[in-house]
Amino acid sequence: EVMLVESGGGLVKPGGSLRLSCAASGFSFSSFSMSWVRQAPGKGLEWVASVSSTSSHIFYANSVKGRFTISRDNAKNSLVLQMDSLTAEDTAIYYCARATKWGDVHYYYMDVWGKGTTVTVSS
Amino acid sequence: DIQMTQSPSSLSAAVGDRVTITCRASQGISKYLAWYQQKPGKVPKLLIYGASTLQSGVPSRFSGSGSGTDFTLTISSLQPEDVGIYSCQKYNRAPFTFGPGTKVDIK
């Protein structure tokens, strides 16, 4: 079964840091690009960051650029989101999601989602 | 950056009604548009990609159309299990922006 399991969420003070992890299983992780998507309480989905299968291409939303770092370890089937300089506006459920590929072409729409991990930024 | 808008922001319809949701991109994105459904308390689910291709396992009452800047998601006969929030997403190039969502419930 294809699965994504996020961990690392929690309560952090403004200005603090948090490291989210996503463990992938049931598919060839190293073949797929991956993304983080978040959802603030009562709000819509917000794309956060994406990384290509070999980490050669990395993309960030303007709202997190310079503060968040996405990375992956294909040997460990793991995706990471390092979040620094957190503010209350970063409070959200963070989803790990698999981007799609058709042959060798990667498309950044998400066909598999984890259940999410909750990040709360509050003093 | 390209902005994504959706209309309406919410709608209420009767079971069996035909429901149409619109998504608009501020610049052309060809057919690089996906639709997601998020039921209350659940994880988002991919419904449609390429503007009109139904993801495997999605009921045929869902359909998508459009290209360029204007797109629609249609539910041909609304069912009680279709209650939720529907969001579009562009994926032609980064940023892979989502629309603000349309909340659908049953009248």
Short mmCIF file of all heavy atoms in Angstrom, two decimals, chain B residues 18 57 72 76:
data_model
loop_
_atom_site.label_atom_id
_atom_site.label_comp_id
_atom_site.label_asym_id
_atom_site.label_seq_id
_atom_site.Cartn_x
_atom_site.Cartn_y
_atom_site.Cartn_z
N ARG B 18 -27.25 19.39 -10.60
CA ARG B 18 -25.99 19.57 -11.33
C ARG B 18 -25.29 20.77 -10.72
O ARG B 18 -25.88 21.84 -10.56
CB ARG B 18 -26.29 19.83 -12.81
CG ARG B 18 -25.08 19.96 -13.70
CD ARG B 18 -25.53 20.21 -15.13
NE ARG B 18 -24.42 20.26 -16.08
CZ ARG B 18 -23.93 19.19 -16.69
NH1 ARG B 18 -24.45 18.00 -16.47
NH2 ARG B 18 -22.93 19.32 -17.56
N GLY B 57 -10.65 5.72 -10.16
CA GLY B 57 -11.50 5.48 -9.00
C GLY B 57 -12.48 6.58 -8.68
O GLY B 57 -13.35 6.41 -7.81
N THR B 72 -13.75 24.58 -15.37
CA THR B 72 -14.92 24.23 -14.58
C THR B 72 -14.82 22.79 -14.09
O THR B 72 -14.29 21.91 -14.77
CB THR B 72 -16.22 24.40 -15.38
OG1 THR B 72 -16.17 23.56 -16.54
CG2 THR B 72 -16.45 25.83 -15.79
N SER B 76 -22.39 16.07 -11.96
CA SER B 76 -23.61 15.97 -12.76
C SER B 76 -24.85 15.71 -11.92
O SER B 76 -25.94 16.15 -12.27
CB SER B 76 -23.45 14.86 -13.82
OG SER B 76 -23.24 13.62 -13.18
#
